[in-house]
Amino acid sequence: MRVRKSLFRHVRMKRFSPNGSGNYPDPSKPPDGENHSRLTDGSKRVKTSQSFESLFDSETLSDITVDVNEGQYVFNAHKMILGIKSEVLAAELNDLTPASSEGERPVLCVQEPPECADVFCRFLFFVYSGTVWLHRDYVIALQRLAQKYEMQPLLLHCENFITQILNNTLAGCDIPSHGFHVTVVCSLYEDTTQTAQVRDLAFKVLCLCFTNLVQCDRWPTCSWQLVCDLLKSEYCQAEENVILTSATDWMKRNSLNDKARIEDILTHIKYPLLHKKVLYMMQKNGAFKNFPRVQELLNNAVKYHCFKDIPEAQPDFVGPQFMPRRRMPPIVTNENNNYAVEASPTSMRYSDSSSREDITYMSTSDLTFMNNSVNETSTHENTPSPSFYLDKAS
């Protein structure tokens, strides 16, 4: 079988080498005899960035068609340009079946998720021009395309822009139209392909916007690990009553029956910061009778409210459980940047207006304790696991 040669077998082309057979001066160096240590009147080295912008989606010299999602978007393209800019595209072009008839161009068919297909034109424009117009509404989809096709320059632009948006949110910049919705931030944190910096900033934003997160439909689908990380964070910006009801609401809506995981969640609540009425109802209903670690924390919280004003008792009430959660450290960021930002609809403004004394959402009718817990001495594998739920206000 004849092996078909490919134009893209050596995608990484070498720069000009003066060792060729041509009898001409080396164009990569200045003329001979000049002082190269300083600028002279006789010569000057200039450089422009390479751009094929004029060939974007142009039939001029086009030798291939790019078909996105079976005709959703179709582009005129050039194999040489695609192959040079992306080794992934070069490999796909190598395996491309030639056109069936003379005069027709081969078709490179790609399948992309809807959000990525909608910005494929921007991705392809960057391939040709090296220029991209970024926006918070589609930068993540553009980032996925850059990851898939290993376009490192575009990937770096997207990551820098995402980082900037998260930093602006943490800094409290008055740019609501430029921020991510809290559900998007949640997905950024749970996406293991994101950089450590992006995930760290996303987590800080979730701490800052915890109240907004628990009020949206994304909260029940959050991972158990994210819920635990948020609850144990000293920067989780919400009243402890809200944190408790949100945690138990998450457990209820996920039908969590793993005793160890339930206990991991409940031990991260700062019970001394709860209102006395809530603590009283928990004690009265024996809410934590099957969770010794949590029951001990609850007992300590009751003692705290009883004896916190006695000087002799002060040494008994030290540690993270008795300390209020802290505000996020201030972040200074510059809103002026090198990335173009389109106008967009105003997004949600995050704020926490709750008050510790306002516990109307925790009335007696709203508190339900489900004590179908397994006995501590039971060792049967199929015995139902313990569960504890505190109903969230409707």
Side-chain angles (χ1 to χ4, degrees):
M1 180 178 66
R2 188 178 67 177
V3 178
R4 179 168 58 91
K5 293 184 179 180
S6 170
L7 292 173
F8 308 102
R9 185 166 299 170
H10 304 288
V11 175
R12 295 179 179 175
M13 297 186 295
K14 295 182 179 179
R15 291 188 176 274
F16 163 77
S17 174
N19 298 324
S21 57
N23 185 19
Y24 51 80
D26 184 352
S28 65
K29 296 180 180 180
D32 293 338
E34 290 198 359
N35 185 352
H36 309 314
S37 62
R38 61 183 178 84
L39 184 63
T40 68
D41 294 334
S43 67
K44 179 182 179 182
R45 185 176 185 266
V46 296
K47 183 179 180 180
T48 58
S49 58
Q50 187 183 45
S51 175
F52 302 101
E53 181 176 340
S54 62
L55 294 177
F56 169 70
D57 198 21
S58 172
E59 292 188 359
T60 303
L61 302 178
S62 175
D63 54 1
I64 190 175
T65 299
V66 178
D67 185 328
V68 182
N69 292 356
E70 300 179 355
Q72 181 180 3
Y73 300 102
V74 179
F75 302 93
N76 299 301
H78 308 76
K79 290 190 288 185
M80 182 62 72
I81 297 175
L82 299 185
I84 290 175
K85 296 299 182 71
S86 168
E87 293 190 16
V88 174
L89 288 173
E92 293 183 5
L93 290 169
N94 281 339
D95 299 331
L96 197 61
T97 303
S100 57
S101 60
E102 188 176 353
E104 292 185 0
R105 292 179 295 183
V107 179
L108 176 63
C109 298
V110 296
Q111 292 293 323
E112 304 294 345
E115 64 275 13
C116 292
D118 289 341
V119 293
F120 198 88
C121 61
R122 296 186 183 275
F123 166 78
L124 201 59
F125 184 75
F126 181 83
V127 171
Y128 277 79
S129 68
T131 303
V132 64
W133 190 276
L134 299 174
H135 190 277
R136 58 95 185 235
D137 286 346
Y138 59 71
V139 64
I140 296 175
L142 203 57
Q143 181 194 39
R144 290 173 186 161
L145 289 174
Q147 289 173 333
K148 176 179 178 179
Y149 295 105
E150 298 180 4
M151 291 284 296
Q152 292 303 316
L154 178 59
L155 183 60
L156 182 60
H157 282 306
C158 292
E159 289 175 352
N160 287 341
F161 189 63
I162 291 171
T163 298
Q164 179 186 304
I165 291 176
L166 296 174
N167 268 323
N168 284 341
T169 302
L170 292 173
C173 295
D174 189 19
I175 47 173
S177 63
H178 299 173
F180 290 126
H181 191 276
V182 67
T183 58
V184 176
V185 180
C186 191
S187 298
L188 281 174
Y189 176 73
E190 294 186 328
D191 183 0
T192 56
T193 66
Q194 296 292 341
T195 64
Q197 182 186 19
V198 168
R199 296 188 69 202
D200 178 65
L201 289 173
F203 180 74
K204 290 178 180 178
V205 171
L206 292 177
C207 289
L208 183 67
C209 307
F210 181 82
T211 304
N212 300 96
L213 174 61
V214 300
Q215 291 176 348
C216 69
D217 294 336
R218 184 66 170 83
W219 174 243
T221 65
C222 289
S223 65
W224 169 81
Q225 188 61 57
L226 173 57
V227 173
C228 284
D229 289 344
L230 287 171
L231 296 185
K232 70 181 180 183
S233 173
E234 289 296 316
Y235 298 110
C236 188
Q237 301 296 291
E239 296 297 322
E240 211 63 30
N241 294 333
V242 175
I243 294 176
L244 175 61
T245 54
S246 301
T248 54
D249 175 67
W250 182 90
M251 291 189 288
K252 181 177 181 180
R253 296 173 72 172
N254 284 277
S255 301
L256 187 63
N257 290 317
D258 186 319
K259 180 180 178 181
R261 292 197 166 190
I262 293 175
E263 197 161 33
D264 276 341
I265 289 177
L266 294 177
T267 53
H268 292 138
I269 303 297
K270 292 177 178 282
Y271 294 94
L273 305 185
L274 294 174
H275 196 276
K276 289 185 289 186
K277 182 183 294 186
V278 177
L279 295 176
Y280 168 74
M281 298 180 70
M282 287 180 177
Q283 285 281 49
K284 180 179 179 180
N285 289 276
F288 304 131
K289 64 182 181 181
N290 289 318
F291 301 92
R293 290 171 55 201
V294 184
Q295 184 63 49
E296 182 181 359
L297 294 175
L298 179 60
N299 293 338
N300 290 337
V302 173
K303 293 178 183 178
Y304 170 77
H305 280 277
C306 291
F307 307 122
K308 63 181 178 180
D309 296 328
I310 301 177
E312 293 81 359
Q314 296 303 313
D316 297 333
F317 307 130
V318 294
Q321 273 280 315
F322 302 95
M323 297 176 62
R325 298 179 190 259
R326 294 176 287 176
R327 289 291 177 183
M328 195 75 65
I331 293 179
V332 179
T333 186
N334 184 10
E335 294 181 41
N336 297 323
N337 57 82
N338 296 324
Y339 299 100
V341 183
E342 291 178 344
S344 63
T346 301
S347 59
M348 182 186 298
R349 182 184 295 273
Y350 305 119
S351 62
D352 182 9
S353 57
S354 59
S355 170
R356 182 178 300 176
E357 297 304 320
D358 179 11
I359 58 168
T360 55
Y361 57 87
M362 282 194 168
S363 62
T364 303
S365 60
D366 292 328
L367 289 169
T368 302
F369 298 94
M370 304 174 65
N371 289 312
N372 57 337
S373 304
V374 61
N375 190 289
E376 291 294 328
T377 60
S378 176
T379 58
H380 297 291
E381 189 174 309
N382 295 326
T383 304
S385 300
S387 60
F388 159 75
Y389 300 123
L390 175 63
D391 281 350
K392 192 175 182 181
S394 57

